[in-house]
Amino acid sequence: MEGIPTIMRRSSLAAVAALGSVTLLLAGCSKADDGKSDGGIKSAGADAATKDVVNASTAKGGTVTYAMSDVPDSFDPGNTYYAYMYNFSRLYARPLMTFKPDAGEKGNTLVPDLASEPGTQSDGGKTWTYKLRAGVTYEDGSPITSKDVKYAVERSNFARDVLSLGPNYFQQFLEGGDKYTGPYKDKSAEGLKSIETPDDTTIVFHLNQAFQEFDYLVATPQTAPVPQAKDTGVDYVKKIVSSGSYKFQSYTEGKQAVLVRNENWDPKTDPLRKQYPDKIVVNLKVNQSTIDQDLQSGDTLIDLQGKGVETQTQAQLVSDPKKKANTDNTYGGRLVYAAINTKVKPFDNVECRKAVQYAIDKVSVQTAEGGSIRGDVASTVLPPDITGYEKADAYATDGNKGDEAKAKEHLKACGQDKITTSITARSDRQEEVDAATAIIASLKKVGIDASLKQYPSGKYFTDYAGVPAFNLKNNVGIIMMQWGADWPSGYGFLQQILNSKAIGESGNTNLSQFENKTVDAKLAQAIATPDVAERNKLYAEVDQTTMDEAVLVPLTYFKVLLYRSPYATNLVSTSAFSGEYDYLNIGTTKK
């Protein structure tokens, strides 16, 4: 899922270059000084939250404050596709399955949430049945039923003209999903026939093919129940009905969201949530440097996007042993890449795409992002911590610094000696802007003149980069992107950025608009294959085909540098949410 972090600010590329040797210090650290932190809590050491719970506490009370530099795509659990919102939404939206709130790899463990147990499959993996926990209710005390889950899936996947931001897996894989028009247009009481609710606690999904990882799919917030009578379409975000441990007290678009304890949440029906703080506040559109300062002072406890501190803050943290002891530096199943638009000329020609592959100095991009502490130079679509990864480098260059001669050779084979195009980046992600700037410098050396276009994160997929018509009209040939797995497997990573069925008119994440029958077929074959090793082999083959077609330029296997507020309790970093902290049970010592 795109997720992922919005990035930091720095004054110049040269400043980061100077930082490179300093930032290396943290990458190899597993422990640091364990003196007292500013909050009076003993520092657990660098990377501690990737291994265990940091500042474990059962204390209740206080306010946990989040901040972010822009706005999320949506707080609506059925209309979001950012990893941090998948994570955060679990406070008020319970999907059928979810990830265990635990550190590191343990946080990748899938567990039942609204469901009482994992799905039972039949018909060779084409039919999946789930039973809801007994006694679960909404914030008003009314019972949650299987019909509410069915409706949630229908509204989030089949009303793409209204709610376009989430993935469309269910639309692709449910029987009849290609023809169903969604609940806003369908006035019948039956809804989509391939989702059955034989009673109030049972829901049955009938798929058009076997799907061996379906438990992961129902862990998306799209299965969190929505009462049809309370749904107001795109305006549902203004009055979300909670099924979790917290509910919305207020929401001011573009400014702030405030959550308070849901008094009708029953811990007997929920073994995962603890309901520690009295209140949760999310402040929006806060300058990133302010967020970094507030994290250290305790005025903010969590950077909601989990994007890590900005580069200047990073330098301060790694040079101060006490502050470094409150950091976590981890992979999160993410790739930073440039998507080459196959529908914008001349990049519809693979030779032109290969010219871009060879032209880019990846070391300069890595430096722009903050150095090796922010990730290793990448050469594959799948990151090393995702199953299916196989080491390869289809466009290897000396020192990963690009090869101008080969780039020009492929440009000539493409019938071009000069290309004029545009490259997009998110305006509130300074590292992404700087990485794009580094790419522009590389491309210029071989005769590709790329102009930078910047757009805000909150609208990047709805209005700009995720809208194919916009890209065609504005000659957008290259799109900056950072992607994390929807779930920790090759399929969870590859499907939404490479499968032709994932291409949408808005909210599109297959930014290259890549249509390849071999890739589509192998992904379908993989997800239907019970044998995990065979699935992983197919994922690696999809990776290879994608690189042969040169549609994505892998830049770095992203790592994030998170600062642990000394005032926050129950912090664990989990790759299930792309290296962020798990937000389910964070508390505070500040009352």
Side-chain angles (χ1 to χ4, degrees):
M1 63 199 80
E2 210 302 311
I4 331 195
T6 332
I7 304 183
M8 31 205 123
R9 184 168 185 139
R10 29 164 225 63
S11 57
S12 68
L13 293 177
V16 171
L19 247 159
S21 59
V22 178
T23 59
L24 287 171
L25 294 174
L26 184 58
C29 294
S30 59
K31 294 184 178 179
D33 291 356
D34 60 354
K36 295 289 184 178
S37 73
D38 292 338
I41 297 175
K42 195 172 185 179
S43 297
D47 291 334
T50 67
K51 304 176 182 69
D52 207 346
V53 180
V54 175
N55 298 342
S57 173
T58 58
K60 293 193 173 187
T63 298
V64 171
T65 305
Y66 292 75
M68 64 179 293
S69 60
D70 192 46
V71 295
D73 49 0
S74 178
F75 282 94
D76 184 339
N79 195 34
T80 182
Y81 206 5
Y82 274 103
Y84 63 86
M85 285 310 302
Y86 271 35
N87 190 357
F88 185 77
S89 69
R90 298 184 302 156
L91 291 164
Y92 54 86
R94 296 182 64 180
L96 288 172
M97 301 284 290
T98 193
F99 291 94
K100 183 180 180 182
D102 211 333
E105 281 301 311
K106 292 179 289 185
N108 284 340
T109 304
L110 205 58
V111 293
D113 191 347
L114 190 63
S116 59
E117 58 188 19
T120 301
Q121 63 168 295
S122 55
D123 193 20
K126 292 177 66 176
T127 300
W128 288 78
T129 302
Y130 295 86
K131 297 287 290 186
L132 272 58
R133 295 182 188 273
V136 289
T137 66
Y138 289 112
E139 63 180 71
D140 61 1
S142 60
I144 294 170
T145 72
S146 56
K147 290 181 177 61
D148 299 331
V149 178
K150 171 183 167 74
Y151 179 75
V153 173
E154 290 172 344
R155 73 183 288 272
S156 63
N157 278 259
F158 299 94
R160 304 298 290 184
D161 55 332
V162 180
L163 307 174
S164 65
L165 296 178
N168 64 347
Y169 288 112
F170 289 101
Q171 185 185 55
Q172 293 177 51
F173 292 104
L174 284 169
E175 283 185 357
D178 57 337
K179 297 181 179 63
Y180 182 57
T181 58
Y184 302 137
K185 295 178 180 177
D186 174 20
K187 302 304 180 182
S188 72
E190 185 178 28
L192 183 62
K193 294 180 181 179
S194 53
I195 306 178
E196 295 179 337
T197 54
D199 57 56
D200 283 349
T201 62
T202 305
I203 185 165
V204 184
F205 297 93
H206 296 280
L207 312 182
N208 54 29
Q209 70 160 81
F211 198 108
Q212 294 299 325
E213 298 176 7
F214 195 72
D215 273 340
Y216 283 111
L217 182 50
V218 300
T220 68
Q222 293 179 324
T223 66
V226 174
Q228 185 170 5
K230 299 291 182 67
D231 182 24
T232 53
V234 72
D235 288 330
Y236 182 67
V237 69
K238 298 176 182 178
K239 187 59 179 175
I240 295 170
V241 183
S242 173
S243 56
S245 50
Y246 287 82
K247 65 179 182 179
F248 282 87
Q249 181 183 71
S250 63
Y251 171 60
T252 305
E253 186 175 1
K255 293 184 178 180
Q256 189 183 73
V258 179
L259 282 71
V260 293
R261 288 177 179 166
N262 174 7
E263 63 273 16
N264 279 309
W265 171 77
D266 185 352
K268 293 178 183 178
T269 70
D270 189 348
L272 302 174
R273 294 163 181 80
K274 303 301 180 184
Q275 209 179 50
Y276 290 134
D278 295 324
K279 184 180 292 186
I280 297 168
V281 175
V282 182
N283 293 316
L284 306 173
K285 289 187 174 293
V286 181
N287 184 279
Q288 185 60 48
S289 61
T290 302
I291 294 175
D292 289 356
Q293 293 169 9
D294 289 348
L295 284 171
Q296 295 176 68
S297 68
D299 291 333
T300 292
L301 297 189
I302 305 292
D303 182 342
L304 179 63
Q305 292 155 298
K307 62 189 178 183
V309 298
E310 68 175 8
T311 308
Q312 290 177 341
T313 306
Q314 175 180 302
Q316 298 166 11
L317 296 180
V318 299
S319 61
D320 184 329
K322 288 181 67 176
K323 291 181 178 179
K324 186 171 66 174
N326 280 329
T327 61
D328 296 293
N329 186 218
T330 179
Y331 287 111
R334 304 187 202 176
L335 178 75
V336 176
Y337 65 92
I340 306 177
N341 195 329
T342 62
K343 303 301 182 185
V344 171
K345 293 184 180 298
F347 296 120
D348 55 342
N349 186 318
V350 68
E351 294 296 332
C352 281
R353 300 197 296 268
K354 288 181 178 180
V356 174
Q357 296 277 357
Y358 279 113
I360 294 176
D361 177 351
K362 294 184 180 180
V363 174
S364 72
V365 174
Q366 180 191 44
T367 301
E369 291 171 355
S372 59
I373 200 170
R374 289 292 180 173
D376 301 327
V377 171
S379 58
T380 57
V381 179
L382 286 170
D385 53 340
I386 295 294
T387 55
Y389 165 81
E390 286 187 5
K391 187 176 181 179
D393 193 348
Y395 305 99
T397 63
D398 187 18
N400 294 309
K401 293 185 177 182
D403 188 324
E404 292 180 32
K406 282 191 176 180
K408 290 178 179 178
E409 177 184 320
H410 285 284
L411 211 56
K412 184 177 180 180
C414 178
Q416 305 285 329
D417 55 10
K418 185 176 179 61
I419 294 174
T420 300
T421 191
S422 298
I423 180 170
T424 66
R426 280 162 281 199
S427 56
D428 56 300
R429 301 190 177 201
Q430 191 60 43
E431 280 191 355
E432 186 166 282
V433 170
D434 292 339
T437 302
I439 289 173
I440 289 170
S442 292
L443 295 178
K444 189 172 183 179
K445 294 177 182 179
V446 304
I448 302 175
D449 185 10
S451 60
L452 178 61
K453 295 182 181 292
Q454 301 182 47
Y455 306 107
S457 291
K459 299 291 185 182
Y460 197 63
F461 299 101
T462 55
D463 295 11
Y464 306 110
V467 182
F470 175 88
N471 294 325
L472 186 61
K473 181 179 179 180
N474 291 276
N475 191 34
V476 175
I478 303 172
I479 302 169
M480 295 299 294
M481 182 64 160
Q482 184 183 136
W483 186 254
D486 286 353
W487 59 85
S489 83
Y491 195 89
F493 191 94
L494 298 168
Q495 164 72 11
Q496 289 293 298
I497 61 173
L498 294 177
N499 195 306
S500 63
K501 292 181 180 179
I503 299 172
E505 295 180 3
S506 176
N508 176 45
T509 50
N510 181 346
L511 299 179
S512 297
Q513 296 181 68
F514 185 42
E515 297 181 81
N516 185 286
K517 291 181 180 179
T518 299
V519 165
D520 289 354
K522 286 188 175 181
L523 285 171
Q525 181 184 352
I527 202 61
T529 302
D531 184 75
V532 175
E534 182 60 27
R535 285 209 300 271
N536 290 339
K537 180 173 179 260
L538 289 164
Y539 297 146
E541 290 175 4
V542 168
D543 193 325
Q544 180 181 341
T545 300
T546 303
M547 293 309 301
D548 289 344
E549 292 296 319
V551 294
L552 304 182
V553 184
L555 299 170
T556 58
Y557 302 124
F558 187 83
K559 294 179 74 176
V560 63
L561 181 66
L562 299 170
Y563 181 78
R564 296 192 306 267
S565 168
Y567 299 95
T569 63
N570 302 319
L571 291 171
V572 291
S573 178
T574 170
S575 57
F577 293 101
S578 305
E580 300 166 32
Y581 293 119
D582 187 302
Y583 297 155
L584 209 52
N585 293 309
I586 289 174
T588 180
T589 60
K590 296 193 82 173
K591 305 301 180 187

